Amino acid sequence: MLDPIEFIQNASSITKKSMNRLKLKANPFSEKPIRGNTKFFVGRTTELMEIADILGAAQYGSVANAAIVGTKGIGKSSLLNVIYYAAKRQNHWAVELEASQITPRQFLIQLMHGIIRDNLFTMDGTLSTDYLEHSQKIIDIYRRLDSYSDKTPVHYPREKIERDLDYLLNNVKEDGKLCIILIDEADQFARKGCLRLLQFFHSFLYEDGILAFFAGSPTLMENLTKVSPAMRDRLPKIINMPPLSNEESYDLILRRLKDAQIPKAKDYEPFTENAVDVIVEECDGIPRKIIMTCSEAISIGLKKGLNEIDEDIVKMAMKKLGISVGHQILNHLTPAQSKIVKALASFGGKSTVTELAKVLNNSPGTVGTHLSDIYEMGYIYKERSGNNVYYMLSKELNDVLIDKDNEDLD
């Protein structure tokens, strides 16, 4: 009869031996937040300079709130985390929040809760001696906040919340300090249900001593201003996060490996040079893709009891994760363009504008315009046969869309 505890112990022992075989003490590829440890943070010199300029100017009253924008996995959350700890080192108040569809009152509650918990209390959960003269008021506020939920108690109306926040910002916070608000996944605010919240931001983001960074997709500002045009003025600075350069991608991998390698391991071990080249080439400078690919490749290596990880193992990891040039192209397409290339796949990868328009229930003119744009980007091809012009998927899209359909049928 199988003893589950003994089974786990034996399996763990095997994994440890396999990890040593790969010349690693542990798998160093984790997506955990940086949390102040910047030894794995690479590149972003231009973006850091922009942030330094914004912080520097804000300390002298020239506040310019900013949007940090980029594709999924590009490192926006990590950059917000860097700002958080940089602000704390400079003795500013800093609060990290994640956007959700909430009312202005609920947002204020989350904000105040974060201000007190992260800035006025010490690590052991007691009030900092810097704020003892305000201790009774702060503790009273925190007690009301500590049990908040989606439904704020009636005895704590928004007017009272705003007065308490004003007290924290103008009486408790020292002159010269900023209250820096970092909001991740800010695209969640770009909905009609958040209009009241965005309207609240119109005045709140003009308060003295408040500096905000909103992080989101490349279309964040376009999405927010569709709901509330005034947001353009409230977030005048836009920090774009491009993919890492090849050199930075290599550095990202090497830094993490060096941190976890056993003594006498060399360079990129356990990865071969060709394996690292494939990762850098295929992951398109997206940190999350690089980290996920390396982590999955190590997992496969452990299961197979390998001594090294070559390009075949890396490609196996990418296939399992769905990381390929074709997937990257799909991520770059708009929803309308994505529908069109998927419709092309349903025709076996080759079709006319008329056929596609019929399937998509759209006008040939609209479909033709989208096809022309996708063609200009080099993601599809076209050829003339008699009176007809046929559009065809590129090999990269064909591999993803057609092969995926076949896999689903298996």
Side-chain angles (χ1 to χ4, degrees), residues 276-337:
V276 176
D277 290 343
V278 170
I279 294 168
V280 171
E281 181 181 344
E282 294 289 340
C283 290
D284 204 27
I286 308 298
R288 186 179 298 166
K289 290 182 179 179
I290 295 171
I291 290 167
M292 288 173 63
T293 300
C294 291
S295 182
E296 184 61 32
I298 288 173
S299 295
I300 294 172
L302 289 172
K303 290 174 185 176
K304 290 180 174 290
L306 302 177
N307 293 321
E308 68 173 15
I309 296 168
D310 61 19
E311 59 266 40
D312 290 333
I313 298 298
V314 166
K315 289 175 182 176
M316 193 181 300
M318 288 181 171
K319 184 174 182 181
K320 187 172 180 180
L321 294 168
I323 295 174
S324 67
V325 174
H327 284 94
Q328 292 167 28
I329 291 172
L330 287 176
N331 288 336
H332 292 161
L333 297 177
T334 66
Q337 291 169 343

Side-chain angles (χ1 to χ4, degrees), residues 88 93 112 114-122 126-131 134 138 168 172-174 177:
K88 299 286 277 185
W93 287 2
M112 278 203 293
I115 285 175
I116 296 174
R117 182 195 61 220
D118 294 352
N119 302 280
L120 308 188
F121 282 6
T122 62
T126 59
L127 187 66
S128 169
T129 54
D130 295 341
Y131 304 107
H134 304 280
I138 292 169
L168 291 175
V172 179
K173 182 172 70 65
E174 300 95 321
K177 277 191 179 182

Side-chain angles (χ1 to χ4, degrees), residues 144-157:
R144 285 195 290 269
L145 296 170
D146 203 31
S147 59
Y148 76 83
S149 62
D150 288 343
K151 293 185 178 179
T152 311
V154 175
H155 66 270
Y156 201 17

Side-chain angles (χ1 to χ4, degrees), residues 4 36 60 63 87 95 110 112 120 123 146 204 225 257 265 274 317 320 336 340 364 388 398-399:
Y60 296 96
V63 176
V95 184
Q110 290 187 17
M112 278 203 293
L120 308 188
M123 292 292 288
D146 203 31
F204 179 69
T225 52
L257 286 174
N274 287 342
K320 187 172 180 180
I340 286 174
N388 293 320
N398 192 81
D399 289 345

